Amino acid sequence: MRNTFSETLYACAKADPRVYIVVADISPAGSMAKFQTEYPDRFINVGVAEQVMIGIAAGLALKGCRPFAYTIAAFSLYRPFEMVRNDLGYQNLPVTVVGMGAGILYSTLGGTHHTQEDIAVAGAIPNMQILAPCDPLECIDATRYCATENNGPMYLRIGKAGEPRLTENAMEPFVFGKLRYLRRGEDVCIISYGVIMKLAQEIADHLRATGKSVSLVSCHTIKPLDRDGIEQALHTHKHVIVIEEHAPQGGVAPQTKQIAWDTAARCRLDTFTLKDEFIHNYGSYENLLASHGISRESILTQIGNP
């Protein structure tokens, strides 16, 4: 997904001289290297100085530019949080803060490189919007939106590498602020976003093989959340499942529970999130997810379809 982001941003920069990228200690490769070579005045590497990255991006936005601030997710949001809040949120500036390798994708690098609370952190900032594409194709749509249409601060949460294309045959197009149905069914609705959508699709495939009619939904826009869309899903399916790679507070799962309560939804609702703890396991991304209780087997067992 990071390569797709770089390619799309490079294309946007060729079309619009207002597009800048400010990075913090990222070694440019591929299209990012082409961006640096062809537009050196619009490619700024501040080194290990994430606070400066956000400050420069804010200054560029005040001058009418459309800047992106880009580095590993834990360092694009957590380390410069005060600047993200005050420089971007308070002034409502059109800067896209890109968190690459979000969630627990950097599994073997430990808790310092995990962003299991980033949506809660970013979502608490007034004016901040959040996009989390589920595959490279949605990443193209999200990046283009940020470069051409976005008019306020944005946190763009993306994966790292090797994500499969899941939206090639989606029933609906990408529309900012709206749920996107990849499949439509009547019995079960699975809502997810980001890299973990691959697991959500596997769960959907298993349920469909057992005779269930299954909707699969990408909640790519987390703020502003499509509350009407979630309400409709809750009231038109017998069973709704939310799967997200985020802490149990502040994400889509607790907001879906709130909407279900507020609208007196009668469906069964199961939510799967990361645990509210740091898991001190060394292993692959899948190993760490399983330690958090998120795996194909554990989800199917909990919903009663092993």
Side-chain angles (χ1 to χ4, degrees):
M1 207 181 289
R2 63 185 171 190
N3 291 338
T4 300
F5 164 76
S6 298
E7 292 164 6
T8 307
L9 190 65
Y10 169 69
C12 291
K14 289 183 69 174
D16 187 347
R18 298 176 302 162
V19 175
Y20 280 68
I21 186 161
V22 189
V23 304
D25 199 35
I26 292 291
S27 299
S31 293
M32 196 66 76
K34 287 193 293 184
F35 193 128
Q36 182 186 36
T37 301
E38 295 182 28
Y39 308 109
D41 293 339
R42 291 193 273 149
F43 184 99
I44 304 167
N45 191 340
V46 302
V48 188
E50 291 84 359
Q51 295 93 334
V52 175
M53 174 183 70
I54 298 300
I56 290 174
L60 289 167
L62 287 169
K63 289 295 185 179
C65 302
R66 303 193 69 85
F68 287 68
Y70 172 61
T71 192
I72 294 172
F75 308 126
S76 67
L77 184 64
Y78 294 169
R79 188 172 290 169
F81 175 76
E82 181 183 2
M83 290 72 188
V84 173
R85 178 184 183 272
N86 295 343
D87 293 354
L88 308 186
Y90 183 69
Q91 299 187 92
N92 198 23
L93 296 179
V95 173
T96 300
V97 178
V98 184
M100 184 267 290
I104 55 174
L105 280 170
Y106 280 99
S107 56
T108 56
L109 297 186
T112 58
H113 283 60
H114 299 166
T115 48
Q116 58 194 64
E117 326 89 343
D118 55 335
I119 289 168
V121 170
I125 302 173
N127 294 322
M128 184 64 73
Q129 306 160 96
I130 303 173
L131 273 171
C134 73
D135 73 344
L137 296 177
E138 274 198 347
C139 187
I140 293 171
D141 292 328
T143 304
R144 284 176 178 163
Y145 177 86
C146 292
T148 61
E149 297 183 59
N150 178 40
N151 59 5
M154 177 75 75
Y155 177 53
L156 176 58
R157 187 189 211 240
I158 65 174
K160 192 167 54 171
E163 298 88 359
R165 294 187 171 198
L166 304 174
T167 62
E168 226 159 8
N169 299 309
M171 298 192 66
E172 297 177 349
F174 173 94
V175 178
F176 178 77
K178 296 294 182 183
L179 293 183
R180 183 186 191 187
Y181 279 78
L182 310 186
R183 307 175 186 173
R184 279 197 180 270
E186 298 178 356
D187 299 323
V188 182
C189 179
I190 302 177
I191 301 173
S192 191
Y193 61 87
V195 174
I196 207 168
M197 179 64 81
K198 178 177 180 291
L199 176 60
Q201 184 184 66
E202 292 174 5
I203 301 296
D205 289 343
H206 177 89
L207 294 178
R208 187 167 62 175
T210 64
K212 301 283 187 181
S213 177
V214 184
S215 293
L216 182 62
V217 177
S218 171
C219 185
H220 50 69
T221 306
I222 300 172
K223 186 183 177 185
L225 188 65
D226 184 2
R227 297 181 64 87
D228 290 341
I230 290 179
E231 178 182 351
Q232 183 181 42
L234 290 165
H235 287 267
T236 56
H237 296 84
K238 302 170 187 174
H239 187 185
V240 174
I241 301 168
V242 180
I243 303 173
E244 66 176 333
E245 189 181 335
H246 187 266
Q249 297 84 18
V252 173
Q255 293 185 78
T256 300
K257 289 178 179 178
Q258 180 183 357
I259 294 168
W261 173 263
D262 290 344
T263 64
R266 306 293 294 177
C267 65
R268 174 179 173 180
L269 176 59
D270 288 296
T271 62
F272 298 89
T273 69
L274 300 179
K275 293 180 180 178
D276 185 23
E277 59 185 88
F278 294 109
I279 303 293
H280 297 280
N281 285 8
Y282 181 85
S284 69
Y285 170 63
E286 289 76 18
N287 291 152
L288 192 54
L289 275 179
S291 297
H292 275 280
I294 299 179
S295 68
R296 184 177 184 272
E297 294 73 22
S298 61
I299 290 174
L300 290 173
T301 297
Q302 186 165 325
I303 65 176
N305 283 89

